[in-house]
């Protein structure tokens, strides 16, 4: 045979040169005289199986039977019958002898006996797999006997092969013939090539060539006997050598034994029809078979059945044979998700199965499906993708993320659901390192600019944290333009105390990106104000940040005074008590997208509300990043966050990462008071916070005269004319010596002396500070803007729609009359 293969490779055959397949190594076993080879397509390298049968001359009986098998395999199509791809005949010369070889190319399969040894299944998993395989072969035999009125003639272990998805398929159709039961007068052989069947596989009537009795018997009589032989060889793990061995039933399962005995009945008419064998509910009812059958008819199931099934599938998959799950269930699940027949919970099962694959297999079998799912309009699918992005995000290439994934994910930034906006924001910690600088500067920062003034305080807080974590992926020019303004002008002035704390943490984490002038004139003046913040956690972080930046400035001064001109900046990793970790703030957004409340400034630091009632399950996965290297480190949960309790947050060893540390402890903590607060529509700031906000707006240098009047409250709004420079429009030099008693405007003009007014935090809806009604300030009295009015004994009457003693405007009609008169 190897000599023959050498001749094939050398091209000595007359018809093999045109074979569009490469012949590989043979398997050790095959049915009859056939040789089963591994093969590949010459076009795309796809794997195939090649069966070869060689005869000494063109009239060889084996070749005639082989041609019958080729014809039958080409015309008979069934899911449980081997799929035919190609066939040809070739002549080879061995000296003076001419040999003819038939080639059949089929889908890639492997002999069942070799596959069972490779799998090595034991116990219940082996029985479940055998039941599934027998169910497939019984359906194929039933199709031939009952639907096509054909007789296979030699059903046995050698006539069964296994596909790459571990499906059992029937082949070896050389003996296949029509059942000639209607022609009882015929005395000839009904099976023309029955001499190819081994004597141990023949029932008694076929062994004695009693064709009259065979024609009077049911069409399934011969193949039912063959099914019995297959069952014996399967469970005894030995090849049948003689018919008497079939009486040994010690290895046959008890639930299958009655049907096994009926299949091997000595009376042909009493043998069990293969279709009746499929009705054995006791044997064929197992988890593996039911799971595969459900997946194969998924389109016929309603949404409730699908949802229930896919929620149970992750736990069920752990109980099934691992090889079958990965090679059979995983492709079915990926296909169902890709074509929309599977529900969103199926993604959890897909990722769990994918975690059992190697990284190379995961990239081939799972990632293409996930990338296609990002284009789905199903909000449940999008939520599930974002919730589990830490499980597959590292496997996505930078090109795929930048060109295919990000454009679909970015739609979540503007979604009406706060829950989806928050998930989209958190996903950027995984995706941002894979984005190009053009995408980050031209698209991502625009979305983050809007999210930093989002109505949800948790989103504003996490936006600040994200900016601190992705700072290393920004170019130097973008960092100069964005970071200080985003952290000092917006974050440090937020009405939500954890957002202010996040701003302090972000500045500390990115301290290596600022020069001494920025630290001294822009950062320290804004952080010092927070050392008297009513929230003790913000105060603690502010004191640590002040110490850190003062130490940086002092070291710079020491170096310059000694003549050392090297410009070095000390990062947060070298500051004791500040390990440089930025973690997500705990979200209080619910799965339904309910609003979270901003903590009242005078609320107690320790909350008595249970954590589970205020914190979203979806935000229980803590994501932290090292701000020194700013490379994300993910602590993920493989289970669906909607079905499982919140995992315990890892303890933080740093001095400023307490936004998440200790949140899951059973006792109250002064670090998590903002997570458990009850929702409220409009928080009222305390006088203390109002004074702090007023102090934040005051410049640090000597005031200079200004004649601008008080400005009324306005909603913060980004300028549409400056999209290219999101935070650059508010970037300003050191705090100027200008008195600014309020951060709101009375008209729509922009005050050039107020560089932060365009992005100032939303003013609380409580009563504003009492201010004078006069149109100008007293330069000698810096507190005149917020002084209480002089009490009066009675209110002045109002005239018309105005207030106080404002004179009424002249009537327009009289003016028109006067102009008309003068004209005349």
């Amino acid at each position: 045979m190897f000599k023959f293969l050498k001749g094939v490779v050398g091209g000595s055959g007359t018809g093999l040169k045109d074979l569009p397949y490469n012949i590989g190594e043979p398997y050790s076993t095959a049915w009859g005289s056939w040789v089963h080879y591994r093969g590949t397509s010459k076009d795309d390298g796809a794997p195939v199986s090649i069966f070869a049968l060689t005869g000494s001359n063109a009239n060889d009986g084996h070749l005639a039977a082989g041609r019958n098998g080729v014809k039958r395999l080409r015309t008979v199509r069934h899911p449980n019958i081997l799929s035919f791809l190609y066939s040809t005949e070739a002549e080879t010369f061995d000296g003076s002898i001419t040999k003819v070889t038939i080639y059949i190319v089929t889908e890639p399969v492997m002999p069942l006996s070799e596959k069972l040894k490779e799998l090595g299944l034991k116990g219940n998993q082996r029985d479940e797999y055998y039941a599934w395989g027998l169910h497939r072969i019984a359906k194929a035999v039933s199709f031939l006997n009952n639907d096509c009125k054909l007789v296979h003639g030699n059903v046995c272990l050698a006539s069964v092969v296994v596909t790459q998805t571990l499906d059992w398929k029937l082949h070896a159709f050389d003996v296949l013939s029509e059942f000639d039961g209607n022609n009882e007068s015929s005395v000839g052989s009904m099976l023309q090539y029955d001499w190819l069947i081994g004597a141990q596989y023949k029932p008694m009537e076929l062994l004695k060539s009693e064709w009259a009795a065979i024609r009077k018997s049911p069409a399934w009589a011969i193949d039912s006997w063959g099914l019995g032989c297959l069952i014996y060889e399967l469970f005894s793990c030995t090849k049948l050598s003689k018919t008497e061995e079939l009486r040994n039933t010690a290895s046959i399962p008890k639930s299958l034994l009655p049907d096994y005995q009926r299949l091997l009945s000595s009376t042909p008419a009493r043998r069990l029809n293969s279709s009746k064998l499929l009705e054995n509910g006791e044997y064929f009812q197992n988890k593996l078979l039911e799971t595969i059958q459900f997946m194969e008819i998924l389109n016929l199931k309603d949404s409730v059945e699908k949802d229930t099934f896919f929620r149970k599938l992750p736990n069920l998959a752990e109980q099934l044979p691992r090889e079958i799950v990965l090679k059979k269930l995983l492709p079915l699940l990926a296909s169902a998700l890709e074509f929309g027949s599977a529900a969103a919970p199926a993604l959890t099962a897909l990722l769990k199965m994918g975690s059992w694959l190697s990284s190379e297999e995961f990239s081939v079998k799972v990632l293409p499906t996930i990338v296609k799912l990002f284009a789905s309009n199903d909000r449940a699918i999008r939520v599930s993708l974002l919730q589990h992005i830490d499980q597959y995000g590292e496997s996505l290439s930078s090109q795929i993320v930048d060109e295919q994934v990000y454009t679909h994910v970015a739609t979540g930034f503007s979604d009406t659901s706060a829950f989806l906006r928050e998930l989209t924001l958190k996903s950027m910690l995984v995706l941002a390192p894979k984005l190009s600088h053009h995408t980050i500067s031209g698209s991502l920062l625009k979305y983050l600019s809007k999210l930093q003034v989002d109505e949800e305080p948790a989103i504003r807080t996490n936006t600040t944290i994200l900016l601190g974590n992705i700072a290393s992926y920004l170019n130097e020019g973008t960092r100069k333009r964005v970071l200080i303004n985003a952290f000092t002008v917006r974050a440090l002035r937020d009405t939500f105390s954890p957002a202010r704390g996040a701003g302090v943490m972000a500045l500390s984490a990115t301290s290596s990106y600022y020069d001494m002038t920025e630290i001294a004139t822009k950062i320290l003046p804004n952080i010092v104000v927070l050392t008297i913040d009513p929230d003790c956690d913000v105060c603690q972080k502010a004191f640590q940040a002040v110490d850190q930046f003062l130490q940086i400035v002092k070291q710079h001064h020491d170096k310059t005074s000694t003549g050392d001109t090297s410009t070095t900046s000390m990062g947060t990793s070298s500051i004791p008590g500040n390990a440089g970790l930025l973690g997500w703030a705990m979200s209080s957004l619910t799965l339904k997208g309910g609003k979270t409340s901003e903590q009242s400034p005078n609320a107690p630091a320790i909350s008595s509300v249970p954590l589970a009632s205020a914190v979203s399950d979806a935000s229980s996965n803590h994501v932290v990043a090292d701000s020194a290297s700013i490379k994300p480190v993910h602590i993920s949960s493989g289970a669906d966050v909607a079905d499982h309790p919140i995992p315990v947050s890892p303890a933080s060893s740093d001095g400023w990462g307490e936004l998440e540390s200790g949140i899951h402890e059973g006792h109250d903590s002064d670090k998590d008071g903002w997570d458990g607060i009850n929702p409220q529509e409009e928080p009222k700031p305390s006088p203390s916070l109002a004074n702090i906000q007023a102090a934040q707006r005051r410049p640090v240098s000597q005031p200079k005269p200004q004649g601008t009047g008080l400005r009324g409250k306005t909603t913060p709004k980004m300028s549409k004319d400056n999209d290219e420079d999101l935070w650059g429009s508010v970037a300003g030099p050191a705090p100027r010596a200008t008195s600014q008693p309020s951060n709101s405007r009375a008209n729509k003009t922009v005050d050039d002396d107020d560089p932060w007014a365009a992005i100032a935090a939303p003013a609380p809806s409580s009563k504003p500070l009492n201010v004078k009604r006069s149109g100008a300030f007293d330069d000698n009295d810096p507190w005149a803007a917020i002084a209480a009015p002089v009490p009066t004994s009675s209110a002045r009457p109002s005239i018309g729609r105005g207030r106080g003693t404002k004179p009424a405007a002249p009537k327009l009609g009289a003016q028109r009359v006067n102009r008309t008169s003068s004209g005349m």
Side-chain angles (χ1 to χ4, degrees):
M1 180 55 64
F2 286 104
K3 185 177 180 181
F4 160 74
L5 285 178
K6 183 178 180 181
V8 168
V9 175
S12 59
T14 58
L16 198 58
K17 293 180 180 180
D18 299 329
L19 183 67
Y21 299 93
N22 299 313
I23 300 177
E25 295 295 322
Y27 289 100
S28 59
T29 59
W31 181 86
S33 300
W34 290 87
V35 181
H36 185 181
Y37 296 97
R38 301 172 178 87
T40 56
S41 172
K42 292 181 179 179
D43 295 334
D44 55 5
V48 295
S49 282
I50 301 176
F51 295 86
L53 178 65
T54 303
S56 57
N57 56 72
N59 298 324
D60 192 312
H62 288 87
L63 292 178
R67 294 187 184 99
N68 177 67
V70 172
K71 181 183 70 173
R72 299 294 187 178
L73 192 62
R74 181 188 289 113
T75 56
V76 178
R77 299 285 181 169
H78 189 268
N80 305 125
I81 292 177
L82 185 61
S83 298
F84 173 89
L85 298 179
Y86 183 83
S87 67
T88 188
E89 291 189 21
E91 293 184 353
T92 57
F93 303 96
D94 186 8
S96 59
I97 302 176
T98 301
K99 294 184 177 180
V100 179
T101 305
I102 299 175
Y103 293 97
I104 304 177
V105 183
T106 68
E107 61 181 315
V109 290
M110 185 177 184
L112 177 59
S113 57
E114 295 189 26
K115 194 63 180 180
L116 294 179
K117 294 178 181 178
E118 180 183 296
L119 292 175
L121 299 176
K122 302 291 182 182
N124 186 58
Q125 290 189 347
R126 186 201 71 162
D127 294 340
E128 287 186 351
Y129 182 59
Y130 285 3
W132 175 46
L134 286 174
H135 190 272
R136 300 285 172 162
I137 299 304
K139 288 178 68 175
V141 173
S142 176
F143 170 75
L144 293 175
N145 296 159
N146 301 309
D147 299 335
C148 302
K149 301 302 179 182
L150 297 173
V151 178
H152 183 277
N154 192 21
V155 178
C156 60
L157 192 68
S159 61
V160 179
V161 289
V162 184
T163 66
Q164 292 181 327
T165 57
L166 301 183
D167 289 285
W168 293 16
K169 295 202 172 185
L170 186 65
H171 81 121
F173 284 3
D174 294 19
V175 188
L176 188 71
S177 301
E178 288 82 3
F179 178 72
D180 194 16
N182 296 327
N183 189 7
E184 297 182 1
S185 59
S186 178
V187 295
S189 173
M190 188 177 66
L191 301 179
Q192 182 178 358
Y193 305 105
D194 64 300
W195 50 271
L196 291 173
I197 307 173
Q200 69 273 28
Y201 296 112
K202 290 183 177 181
M204 189 58 62
E205 68 275 13
L206 183 58
L207 187 62
K208 296 181 178 179
S209 299
E210 297 177 353
W211 298 111
I214 291 175
R215 288 185 171 88
K216 294 179 181 179
S217 302
W220 61 81
I222 295 178
D223 288 339
S224 292
W225 181 277
L227 273 176
C229 297
L230 171 62
I231 292 173
Y232 172 82
E233 290 183 321
L234 188 62
F235 287 98
S236 65
C237 301
T238 58
K239 185 177 180 179
L240 184 64
S241 58
K242 53 184 179 180
T243 306
E244 288 74 14
E245 294 177 354
L246 296 173
R247 301 180 182 274
N248 183 8
T249 61
S251 60
I252 307 299
K254 293 182 179 179
S255 58
L256 188 60
L257 183 58
D259 288 342
Y260 171 76
Q261 293 173 336
R262 293 180 61 188
L263 288 171
L264 297 174
S265 174
S266 57
T267 305
R270 298 181 60 183
R271 289 179 192 149
L272 183 67
N273 190 340
S274 54
S275 62
K276 299 296 182 180
L277 176 65
L278 298 173
E279 299 176 3
N280 186 336
E282 183 179 0
Y283 178 70
F284 290 111
Q285 187 174 3
N286 59 63
K287 295 178 181 179
L288 176 63
L289 190 57
E290 292 174 353
T291 301
I292 295 176
Q293 287 181 331
F294 189 96
M295 289 294 301
E296 290 178 339
I297 58 173
L298 191 61
N299 290 329
L300 303 180
K301 303 294 183 180
D302 58 39
S303 58
V304 176
E305 290 177 309
K306 291 180 182 179
D307 188 74
T308 303
F309 172 78
F310 287 123
R311 290 188 183 278
K312 294 180 179 179
L313 186 57
N315 294 329
L316 181 62
E318 294 182 347
Q319 306 172 23
L320 301 177
R322 183 63 53 87
E323 285 290 326
I324 302 174
V325 169
L326 296 181
K327 294 185 177 181
K328 179 63 181 180
L329 284 182
L330 182 61
L332 288 175
L333 191 58
S335 177
L337 276 168
E338 186 174 338
F339 293 102
S341 58
L347 183 61
T348 304
L350 179 73
L351 292 175
K352 184 166 188 176
M353 295 177 187
S355 65
W356 299 334
L357 295 170
S358 63
S359 58
E360 294 78 10
E361 290 178 319
F362 184 86
S363 299
V364 173
K365 297 182 179 180
V366 179
L367 272 188
T369 300
I370 293 177
V371 172
K372 292 179 181 178
L373 288 179
F374 274 105
S376 173
N377 294 324
D378 188 346
R379 181 168 289 182
I381 292 288
R382 293 167 59 193
V383 167
S384 186
L385 283 170
L386 296 176
Q387 285 177 332
H388 300 92
I389 196 168
D390 56 317
Q391 298 182 33
Y392 60 85
E394 295 299 329
S395 301
L396 293 170
S397 66
S398 298
Q399 183 179 3
I400 290 178
V401 172
D402 199 49
E403 297 178 359
Q404 302 181 44
V405 174
Y406 174 76
T407 54
H408 299 296
V409 174
T411 59
F413 286 123
S414 305
D415 198 273
T416 56
S417 169
F419 179 69
L420 191 55
R421 293 200 304 274
E422 185 185 35
L423 286 176
T424 305
L425 174 67
K426 292 186 174 183
S427 70
M428 287 300 109
L429 189 59
V430 179
L431 299 181
K434 300 177 182 292
L435 295 176
S436 64
H437 288 293
H438 175 75
T439 303
I440 293 177
S441 301
S443 176
L444 178 59
L445 290 181
K446 291 183 179 180
Y447 288 117
L448 297 185
S449 175
K450 296 178 182 179
L451 290 182
Q452 213 178 13
V453 291
D454 194 90
E455 61 181 359
E456 297 291 345
I459 293 179
R460 300 199 301 268
T461 305
N462 283 331
T463 303
T464 301
I465 293 173
L466 176 64
L467 280 170
N469 282 323
I470 68 173
S472 63
Y473 305 111
L474 306 178
N475 56 47
E476 184 177 358
T478 304
R479 284 198 295 262
K480 291 284 186 183
R481 177 169 51 92
V482 170
L483 295 185
I484 291 183
N485 295 289
F487 297 153
T488 61
V489 181
R490 284 184 174 172
L492 297 188
R493 300 185 178 194
D494 201 294
T495 57
F496 193 44
S497 61
R500 299 194 298 275
V504 177
M505 291 161 50
L507 285 170
S508 300
T510 57
S511 61
S512 61
Y513 301 126
Y514 312 124
D515 56 37
M516 294 304 108
T517 303
E518 291 173 328
I519 293 176
T521 61
K522 296 182 180 180
I523 296 177
L524 279 173
N526 287 281
I527 297 180
V528 168
V529 179
L530 295 182
T531 57
I532 57 171
D533 194 279
D535 188 287
C536 62
D537 192 35
V538 176
C539 289
Q540 182 183 1
K541 291 180 173 65
F543 278 116
Q544 292 176 355
V546 169
D547 293 340
Q548 173 184 343
F549 284 106
L550 284 176
Q551 189 175 353
I552 295 175
V553 175
K554 185 178 182 300
Q555 288 182 357
H556 176 74
H557 172 73
D558 293 342
K559 290 181 180 180
T560 55
S561 62
T562 58
D564 186 359
T565 59
S566 61
T567 57
T568 58
S569 178
M570 181 177 59
T572 59
S573 59
S574 60
I575 302 299
N578 241 348
L581 296 178
L582 277 180
W584 291 126
M586 289 298 294
S587 167
S588 56
L589 299 177
T590 62
L591 190 60
K592 295 181 181 179
K595 287 189 176 182
T596 177
S597 62
E598 299 191 20
Q599 181 184 0
S600 176
N602 57 358
I606 301 178
S607 173
S608 60
V609 180
L611 179 66
S613 64
V615 181
S616 167
D617 289 345
S619 303
S620 61
N621 296 341
H622 294 271
V623 187
V624 295
D626 186 347
S627 66
S629 61
I630 318 296
K631 293 183 179 179
V633 179
H634 312 292
I635 305 173
S636 62
S637 170
D640 192 345
V641 294
D643 298 332
H644 298 279
I646 300 171
V648 178
S649 172
S652 176
S653 60
D654 57 75
W656 45 266
E658 294 87 353
L659 279 181
E660 71 270 31
S661 299
I663 268 181
H664 298 286
E665 296 177 5
H667 57 81
D668 291 335
S669 171
D670 60 348
K671 311 276 179 149
D672 63 346
W674 59 277
D675 284 312
I677 56 179
N678 292 323
Q680 50 189 2
E681 292 299 329
E682 296 292 343
K684 296 182 179 181
S686 66
S688 301
L689 181 59
N691 291 336
I692 291 175
Q693 292 174 343
Q696 284 178 319
R697 302 183 191 103
R698 292 199 307 275
V700 296
S701 59
Q702 294 298 328
K704 66 180 181 179
Q706 179 176 342
T708 306
L710 288 177
R711 295 183 297 269
K713 294 188 295 184
T714 59
T715 303
K717 186 175 181 181
M718 291 296 297
S719 174
K720 296 182 180 179
D721 298 331
N722 202 7
D723 288 341
E724 294 302 325
D725 189 4
L726 302 177
W727 286 281
S729 60
V730 300
R736 303 176 62 178
T738 303
S739 176
Q740 297 180 8
S742 174
N743 70 333
S744 58
R745 287 181 168 80
N747 49 40
K748 299 195 181 281
T749 60
V750 179
D751 187 356
D752 294 336
D753 292 331
D754 187 2
W756 295 320
I759 60 170
S765 61
S766 61
K767 294 181 179 180
L769 297 174
N770 293 325
V771 297
K772 290 184 177 182
R773 299 292 180 181
S774 59
F777 302 118
D778 185 357
D779 295 337
N780 297 325
D781 185 5
W783 298 103
I786 60 172
V790 179
T792 58
S793 58
S794 60
R796 297 180 181 180
S798 60
I799 300 176
R801 297 175 60 89
R803 295 185 179 180
T805 59
K806 184 177 181 181
K811 296 183 179 180
L812 297 177
Q815 291 177 358
R816 295 194 189 96
V817 172
N818 292 337
R819 286 196 297 271
T820 305
S821 301
S822 60
M824 294 175 64

